[in-house]
């Protein structure tokens, strides 16, 4: 069966793709464009020059000014007609309403690709209107022709709470650009580079936490690192450093991190690969939010040993991560710290099953099979 041509609609900045969520959008369509016709209608903050894999039309207002896009409805309709589009994919539920209006004009099926359950995220962020969004999110997912969820947990939650038909739901996760773990000699060299860069003794245990640091689940993880993990680790009397990498952190938080000698705040780093390869373990003490933790996927893909809360490891099946991923019950911070102290580095590599599960081409093939049935 022929793969359908796809119009993706993106309501925020993804180009240039630097952060995990941006890469999840850009890479999904990049790999899809190798197998079928793809174009994107995107928020005007995006630049075509930052993407050479498929055409991008950056004329939309972002989701904070979403209703203003009514003026572009017929321009979207013309794109669908001129580009012979078969299926429309909306990234997140924000523009679900716009997709439904476009379906009415074009008779083309509409899919929402959900990166998490947005209303739960807004609830965790204490947005006063989260219940209104919960009503809207449920409604648009029930109205569209199909829903892609980024984890099995999110899909099962939506089927249970929104009463979506199972046949209208698929798991289409976020993949990784890394196809094999770093060789042991590369990891050894990277570790030595980090020790030299920060003038640390060879006995120092190196941990990494990174992400978009103005995102509430990650900011809350910083609170946990400072208030829960750091005192327990200090009481164990061993040399360690926790690298915190990422952008978006406010000045107050920067001051807090820099007041602890065991924390090395780097800000955004261009070469995050050095930290993935050189740290002894990646830590993910995240309890809020949903979806798959892209930073955890990337750490495992680089061959990094990882310690995560159960919530933070959602979307990564235990049988595909092997002993490279240690899962700790949510809020059991003593157990989390004990694993950091004992050392979780293993001589085994990240299993081949992991790379199969998070291979972009396989993910896109699965998505296209679902789209062929619409």
């Amino acid at each position: 069966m022929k793969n359908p041509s796809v119009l993706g609609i993106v309501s925020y900045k993804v180009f240039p793709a630097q952060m995990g969520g941006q890469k999840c959008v850009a890479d999904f369509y990049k790999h899809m464009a190798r197998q079928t016709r793809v174009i994107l209608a995107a928020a005007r903050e995006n630049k075509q020059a930052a993407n050479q894999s498929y055409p991008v039309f950056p004329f939309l207002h972002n989701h904070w000014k979403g209703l203003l896009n009514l003026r572009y409805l017929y321009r979207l309709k013309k794109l669908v007609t001129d580009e012979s589009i078969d299926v429309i994919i909306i990234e997140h539920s924000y523009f679900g309403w716009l997709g439904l209006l476009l379906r009415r004009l074009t008779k083309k099926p509409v899919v929402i690709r959900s990166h998490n359950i947005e209303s739960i995220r807004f609830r965790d962020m204490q947005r006063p209107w989260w219940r209104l969004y919960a009503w809207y999110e449920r409604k648009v997912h029930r109205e569209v022709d199909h829903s892609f969820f980024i984890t099995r947990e999110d899909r099962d939650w939506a089927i249970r709470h929104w009463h979506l038909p199972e046949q209208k739901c698929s798991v289409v996760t976020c993949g990784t650009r890394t196809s094999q773990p770093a060789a042991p000699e590369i990891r050894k060299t990277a570790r030595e580079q980090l020790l030299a860069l920060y003038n640390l003794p060879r006995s120092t245990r190196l941990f990494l936490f990174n992400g978009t640091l103005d995102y509430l689940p990650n900011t809350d993880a910083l609170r946990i690192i400072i208030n829960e993990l750091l005192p327990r680790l200090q009481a164990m009397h061993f040399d360690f450093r926790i690298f915190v990498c990422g952008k978006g952190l406010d000045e107050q938080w920067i001051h807090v991190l820099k007041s602890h000698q065991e924390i090395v705040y780097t800000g955004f780093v261009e070469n995050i690969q050095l930290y993935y390869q050189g740290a002894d373990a990646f830590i993910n003490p995240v309890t809020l939010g949903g979806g798959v933790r892209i930073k955890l996927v990337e750490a495992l893909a680089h061959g990094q040993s990882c310690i995560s809360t159960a919530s933070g490891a959602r979307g990564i099946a235990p049988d595909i991560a092997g002993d490279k991923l240690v899962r700790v019950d949510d809020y059991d911070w003593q157990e989390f710290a004990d694993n950091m102290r004992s050392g979780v580095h293993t001589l085994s590599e990240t299993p081949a099953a992991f790379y199969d599960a998070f291979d972009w081409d396989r993910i896109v093939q699965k998505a296209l099979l679902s789209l062929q049935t619409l």
Side-chain angles (χ1 to χ4, degrees):
M1 186 179 295
K2 178 178 176 292
N3 284 329
S5 57
V6 173
L7 168 65
I9 298 182
V10 182
S11 64
Y12 55 96
K13 181 180 178 180
V14 295
F15 302 116
Q18 295 177 320
M19 310 310 292
Q22 295 170 333
K23 293 176 182 177
C24 189
V25 174
D27 288 354
F28 176 71
Y29 290 106
K30 176 182 177 180
H31 286 263
M32 183 174 282
R34 296 173 180 174
Q35 302 183 45
T36 192
R37 169 74 171 155
V38 169
I39 64 169
L40 248 60
R44 55 188 61 184
E45 294 93 333
N46 293 282
K47 303 300 179 186
Q48 173 67 72
N51 165 63
Q52 301 300 321
S53 300
Y54 43 85
V56 177
F57 298 87
F59 61 85
L60 296 173
H61 295 282
N62 68 32
H63 49 265
W64 295 111
K65 300 178 181 179
L67 288 175
L68 295 178
N69 287 312
L70 285 170
R71 65 189 293 191
Y72 298 124
L73 190 57
Y74 282 91
R75 184 171 177 180
L76 288 168
K77 178 180 181 294
K78 189 172 188 301
L79 270 180
V80 170
T81 302
D82 292 350
E83 302 292 339
S84 301
I85 295 299
D86 298 309
V87 179
I88 301 161
I89 300 179
I90 309 291
E91 292 294 315
H92 300 268
S93 54
Y94 309 136
F95 278 0
W97 63 271
L98 185 63
L100 292 174
L101 288 176
L102 194 55
R103 182 179 68 181
R104 181 173 296 182
L105 290 176
T106 64
K107 311 303 181 187
K108 302 298 182 182
V110 173
V111 176
I112 290 178
R113 182 170 176 244
S114 172
H115 295 231
N116 48 52
I117 307 300
E118 295 292 341
S119 51
I120 292 178
R121 184 169 71 88
F122 291 143
R123 181 199 64 192
D124 291 344
M125 296 172 69
Q126 299 182 342
R127 300 295 195 223
W129 36 263
W130 74 266
R131 287 184 176 84
L132 178 61
Y133 197 89
W135 171 85
Y136 160 80
E137 188 176 24
R138 176 180 182 269
K139 183 174 179 59
V140 294
H141 273 282
R142 288 173 64 104
E143 291 291 331
V144 297
D145 298 277
H146 201 84
S147 294
F148 288 155
F149 293 99
I150 207 163
T151 67
R152 182 174 298 276
E153 291 89 342
D154 281 2
R155 186 205 66 171
D156 292 348
W157 187 96
I159 290 172
R160 187 167 63 253
H161 290 84
W162 295 340
H163 306 295
L164 301 184
E166 288 191 31
Q167 67 272 19
K168 292 180 63 177
C169 303
S170 302
V171 177
V172 176
T173 192
C174 183
T176 175
R177 299 177 179 182
T178 305
S179 60
Q180 61 185 7
E185 58 270 21
I186 292 177
R187 291 202 288 268
K188 180 181 178 181
T189 300
R191 174 179 162 78
E192 291 172 350
Q193 285 182 270
L194 289 176
L195 292 174
L197 183 62
Y198 294 101
N199 194 28
L200 299 171
R202 296 181 65 85
S203 61
T204 308
R205 190 79 56 79
L206 304 180
F207 301 104
L208 170 64
F209 176 77
N210 78 291
T212 305
L213 299 179
D214 58 355
Y215 178 49
L216 178 64
N218 291 336
T219 307
D220 185 66
L222 292 181
R223 178 191 62 78
I224 291 165
I225 289 171
I226 296 298
N227 297 333
E228 301 290 351
L229 297 179
L230 200 55
R232 290 174 167 86
L233 294 170
Q234 290 168 335
M236 296 175 184
H237 303 294
F238 74 107
D239 292 334
F240 69 92
R241 292 294 186 274
I242 301 174
F243 294 111
V244 176
C245 306
K247 64 180 182 179
L249 202 58
D250 63 36
E251 289 299 323
Q252 184 176 357
W253 260 113
I254 292 174
H255 176 75
V256 170
L257 295 183
K258 289 185 174 181
S259 68
H260 298 277
Q261 68 172 7
E262 297 91 349
I263 304 292
V264 180
Y265 171 65
T266 68
F268 177 77
V269 292
E270 291 288 346
N271 186 19
I272 190 63
Q273 183 173 333
L274 173 65
Y275 294 82
Y276 277 135
Q277 294 174 348
D280 294 298
F282 181 87
I283 61 172
N284 188 43
V286 173
T287 60
L288 299 180
V292 67
R293 314 299 173 172
I294 299 170
K295 54 184 176 288
L296 184 58
V297 171
E298 288 297 328
L300 287 165
H302 280 86
Q304 183 64 267
S305 297
C306 300
I307 310 167
S308 177
T309 56
S311 290
R314 278 193 298 245
I316 303 176
D319 59 333
I320 67 169
D323 59 4
K324 298 299 289 185
L325 175 58
V326 174
R327 299 167 192 260
V328 179
D329 290 341
D330 290 0
Y331 311 111
D332 190 346
W333 305 125
Q334 187 60 54
E335 178 68 16
F336 202 108
D338 288 344
N339 276 285
M340 293 175 69
R341 175 64 182 95
S342 62
V344 298
H345 181 72
T346 63
L347 295 178
S348 64
E349 298 290 2
T350 303
F354 171 87
Y355 295 99
D356 289 342
F358 290 97
D359 175 74
W360 267 121
D361 286 326
R362 291 174 183 264
I363 291 167
V364 165
Q365 287 169 7
K366 181 179 178 181
L368 287 171
L369 285 175
S370 295
L371 297 181
Q372 288 175 4
T373 65
L374 299 181

